[in-house]
Structure formats: C-alpha cells, structure tokens
Amino acid sequence: MAWKNRGGPESSSRNLVSRKLTIFLCISCFYAGMLFTDRWWAEPEAKGISKPTGTEAENLKLLADGCNTKSELRRGSKGIIGDVLKTHNAVQTLDKTISNLEMELAAARAMQDSIVTGSPISDDLTLPNSRKKRKYFMVIGINTAFSSRKRRDSVRATWMPQGDKLKKLEEEKGIVMRFVIGHSATSGGILDRAIEAEEKKHGDFLRLEHIEGYLELSAKTKKYITTAVALWDADYYVKVDDDVHLNIVRMLREGTLGATLSRYRSKPRVYVGCMKSGPVLAHKGVRYHEPEYWKFGEEGNKYFRHATGQLYAISRDLATYISINQHVLHKYANEDVSIGSWFIGLDVEHIDDRRLCCGTPPDCEWKAQAGNICVASFDWSCSGICRSADRIKDIHKRCGEEESALWNASF
C-alpha cells in the first residue's frame, strides 16, 4: 500500500504531460504536412503527356505567334496582289494614253508643217483619229532630195501613178504613195519654194519637219515613219529611194508583202528587205564610215543583220513603236544600220527576200523572162540605179509590168 501511495501522484502527472505532448506533436505534424504538401507536391500528369518546361512553353508561344503572323500574311498577301493588279492596269492605261498623245502630237506637228509650207492639209488631221482615219494597206515613202527633180520626174513617168490615178490607187487599193522630203536650212528659201511649186503641180509630196542633209538620213527616216503613222493607219510602211525601179503589183500580189499578210499574221512585228551584214568601217574618209565603230566590238567586225537601205518595209506595230519611242532611239551614221538597231531586242520577224534587190538588166530581164519578175531593181555599185534619171525608162520597159496589171490586181 505504501508503495502505491508513493508512486500514484507522479504517475498521474506524467500521463497528463504525455497526452498534451502527443496532441501538440500531432497538430504540429499536421501543419508541417500541409506546408510540405503545398510546396513540393507536383500536380498529377496525364498519361503519355509531359508538362512543358519553361523553355518549351516559350517556344510554343513563339510558334503560336508565328502561326498568327502567317495567317495575317496570307490575308495581307491577297491585298498586295490586288494592289499590284490595280497598279498594272493603271500602267497599261497610262501607256495607252501616252501612245495616243504621241500620235496626236505627231499629227499636230504635221498639220503645223502643212500650214507653214502651204501644203494641202490632210483630212485625217482635221478630225479625231477614231472618227476620221480609214484603213490602208500600205504607205510607200519615196526618199528624195532637193537636187533630185529629174529622178522624181523619171519615177513619175514609169512606176508611180499620177494625178487622178494616184488618188484612185489610195481609194480603191489602199496604197498611199508620196515623195518624202523635209526643208532647207534656210526656211522659205529657193529650194523650199521649188518644192512647193512642184507639189502644187503634182500633189505627191509628204513634207517633213526636218532639215535635209545626207548625214541626217537616219533622223529623216524616223521622222517619215512617225509622220506617216500619224497620217495613215496602214498595215505596212515602206521606204524606197528615188533611184530604184519598183514593180508595185509584184510587190503586193505575188511578192513578199502580199504573202506576209497571211503567212505572218500571228507575228505582227515584221521587217522585210534584203538582209545583209556588212563590215563596220572604222577608218575616216571612206564611204559609209561608222564614227561609233567601237560599239560593234573589235576592228574588222560586221554589223548585225539589217535590211539594205534602198528598199524595206515594216509592219504597223514596228512603225508605231518607232513613233512612240522616237526621242530615245539612237541614230547611227548609216540609216539602214539605225533602222536595224531599233529592232534589236524586240520579237521581230526578219524576212530576207532577194526579189527586193535584183540587179538592173540583164539580171532583172532574165528573171522576168523566166517568170520570176523582180520587185525592185538597182545597181549595187551605185547603191541605186546608176544614172537613174537617164536609164530607168529603159529598165521599166525591159523589167517592168504593164500599167493595166496594177488596176486588175486584187490585194
């Protein structure tokens, strides 16, 4: 009993402390577990799917932004393409407007020239082109000079119709034929007055706003084509020298140009003539010297292919191209080289026809007897018919066609 009394109170006190300490420890462990769980416990992951790290999340964000940008670009590209198409259409419209203005300017200059020189004003210049211009088959410009009165008379007496027949040729056959000449350095001088008197008598001149001179043939040809395009809407524009014999019917019906209308209709840029490629003459003092010889490479090189200057023809598209770009087309010393150079880089059909450069009798006569009548005849040694004013009548008799063939032919 004594032992129980001695140990009873102490044991009761220890049990009380033990209970309090146990409760305290339990509560402490609970809060410690809560704290540990919030800080370290990871969210459960879906099977097969890992949670992205910080770097991967940034990459995903960039990809998402990129997708949004691409979609915006695709939407923007449609707008850009639309703007480009609108700009392209505007440029085309502007080009057409500029072309029309160029044509009107050329027509206005030709009208002004007619007023100054007293030459008859073409009806085509007095009214807008869209209402007044008719369609022609061909315009033939015969290059001439102030000193070539005898040559012109010999051409009139042989292969060029005169008076009412010249007008009939235009109205019924659609063929316009004119002597082409500019003005003298002294405006209104004796040379100009002589041409004016000749024009009043024959009515077969096309006067150009151009100062005549042998070294200015390239400029004259450019001015002729520009003026002809403004005055007459033709399929072809021809340049021929006044010392060349021409068979018009053969040229149109069975020759190169008539056949070209059907054979080369799909290629509207046509350049017809006797194609050649002569040497570039670098030495001064020689005939046909080329001052810009260095542009053609080493000494001894040849020119590019081009039609000989005595006779050639170009289609409407090429003539219009020259008219529109006349101010930027370079002029070489030799006219035939200049013409050929203007077509380099263009999609042009070069047609080489040797019937446009036959020799004078007996060459053209033999060919005529064989049924192969030449379109044009001249002497290569003279770059035309030697002494043409004296010889062209005989050449026409031996190599030419009857006048009735012209009016019986249909082109």
Side-chain angles (χ1 to χ4, degrees):
M1 290 294 297
W3 178 78
K4 286 182 180 180
N5 291 335
R6 222 179 10 251
E10 293 178 1
S11 175
S12 177
S13 177
R14 283 196 295 269
N15 290 338
L16 181 61
V17 173
S18 176
R19 289 193 199 100
K20 292 181 179 179
L21 180 61
T22 301
I23 295 171
F24 175 77
L25 289 174
C26 288
I27 294 173
S28 298
C29 288
F30 175 76
Y31 283 108
M34 291 288 292
L35 180 64
F36 177 83
T37 301
D38 290 341
R39 185 168 183 179
W40 298 104
W41 187 259
E43 295 178 5
E45 296 179 355
K47 185 176 181 181
I49 302 176
S50 61
K51 185 177 181 180
T53 62
T55 303
E56 291 173 342
E58 292 178 0
N59 290 337
L60 289 173
K61 187 176 184 301
L62 289 174
L63 287 173
D65 293 341
C67 291
N68 293 334
T69 304
K70 287 180 180 179
S71 61
E72 291 176 0
L73 286 174
R74 279 195 293 269
R75 290 193 298 270
S77 63
K78 294 181 180 179
I80 293 173
I81 292 174
D83 293 340
V84 170
L85 290 175
K86 291 179 181 178
T87 304
H88 179 68
N89 293 334
V91 170
Q92 285 185 327
T93 303
L94 183 60
D95 285 341
K96 292 180 181 179
T97 303
I98 293 174
S99 299
N100 292 334
L101 290 175
E102 290 278 4
M103 297 300 183
E104 292 177 8
L105 178 60
R109 287 176 175 171
M111 183 189 295
Q112 181 183 17
D113 180 68
S114 297
I115 295 173
V116 171
T117 60
S119 302
I121 299 176
S122 171
D123 291 337
D124 295 302
L125 292 176
T126 58
L127 291 176
N129 294 344
S130 59
R131 289 191 292 126
K132 192 65 180 177
K133 264 194 173 181
R134 60 156 286 183
K135 186 76 172 179
Y136 292 91
F137 180 50
M138 183 177 298
V139 175
I140 301 177
I142 309 169
N143 182 50
T144 191
F146 289 114
S147 60
S148 299
R149 174 63 187 265
K150 290 184 178 180
R151 286 185 181 180
R152 291 191 292 273
D153 287 340
S154 67
V155 169
R156 293 181 179 117
T158 53
W159 57 267
M160 181 180 184
Q162 288 297 291
D164 293 337
K165 292 182 179 179
L166 188 64
K167 295 180 180 179
K168 182 180 178 182
L169 187 67
E170 295 181 19
E171 295 173 358
E172 295 186 6
K173 306 298 182 181
I175 302 172
V176 178
M177 203 176 298
R178 295 287 188 277
F179 286 107
V180 179
I181 195 168
H183 297 271
S184 65
T186 305
S187 180
I190 186 173
L191 296 176
D192 288 320
R193 291 200 300 270
I195 294 297
E196 291 169 9
E198 195 174 343
E199 163 64 15
K200 289 180 181 179
K201 180 179 180 180
H202 298 283
D204 55 5
F205 278 94
L206 172 62
R207 300 299 300 276
L208 305 178
E209 188 181 346
H210 168 79
I211 304 300
E212 285 289 323
Y214 179 77
L215 297 179
E216 296 297 328
L217 285 179
S218 294
K220 181 179 180 179
T221 299
K222 186 193 296 185
K223 183 61 67 175
Y224 153 61
I225 294 172
T226 299
T227 306
V229 167
L231 293 172
W232 301 288
D233 181 15
D235 289 328
Y236 291 92
Y237 297 84
V238 180
K239 180 263 180 181
V240 60
D241 289 337
D242 61 4
D243 56 354
V244 172
H245 179 266
L246 195 62
N247 278 320
I248 302 174
V249 177
R250 184 65 53 179
M251 180 180 185
L252 302 177
R253 183 176 59 189
E254 299 178 12
T256 301
L257 298 183
T260 296
L261 290 178
S262 57
R263 283 186 296 166
Y264 296 96
R265 191 174 298 276
S266 61
K267 297 182 178 180
R269 291 169 295 279
V270 177
Y271 178 32
V272 188
C274 286
M275 299 295 164
K276 65 175 185 177
S277 181
V280 180
L281 303 178
H283 300 289
K284 292 183 179 180
V286 299
R287 191 179 187 187
Y288 306 127
H289 166 62
E290 179 56 72
E292 298 179 89
Y293 62 89
W294 59 273
K295 290 185 177 180
F296 299 93
E298 300 299 327
E299 186 173 349
N301 282 357
K302 291 185 176 182
Y303 287 113
F304 41 80
R305 285 283 173 183
H306 61 278
T308 184
Q310 286 83 358
L311 170 65
Y312 55 82
I314 60 176
S315 60
R316 181 197 303 111
D317 280 16
L318 292 181
T320 303
Y321 170 80
I322 292 174
S323 176
I324 294 173
N325 299 283
Q326 57 180 302
H327 301 297
V328 296
L329 294 176
H330 184 68
K331 301 185 295 293
Y332 288 98
N334 299 301
E335 169 238 351
D336 52 353
V337 174
S338 295
I339 284 285
S341 71
W342 297 340
F343 303 147
I344 291 180
L346 301 181
D347 185 13
V348 176
E349 185 74 22
H350 288 64
I351 302 176
D352 181 20
D353 194 316
R354 311 317 289 183
R355 289 172 293 180
L356 274 67
C357 53
C358 294
T360 55
D363 180 53
C364 62
E365 188 175 18
W366 291 342
K367 292 177 179 177
Q369 292 173 357
N372 188 22
I373 299 177
C374 294
V375 174
S377 302
F378 57 88
D379 298 311
W380 282 103
S381 59
C382 296
S383 297
I385 299 174
C386 300
R387 298 181 291 105
S388 66
D390 300 325
R391 296 179 58 222
I392 197 170
K393 288 184 179 181
D394 179 64
I395 294 171
H396 184 68
K397 181 179 179 181
R398 298 167 66 179
C399 300
E401 296 175 310
E402 295 293 334
E403 182 181 351
S404 59
L406 177 62
W407 306 112
N408 295 331
S410 59
F411 310 128

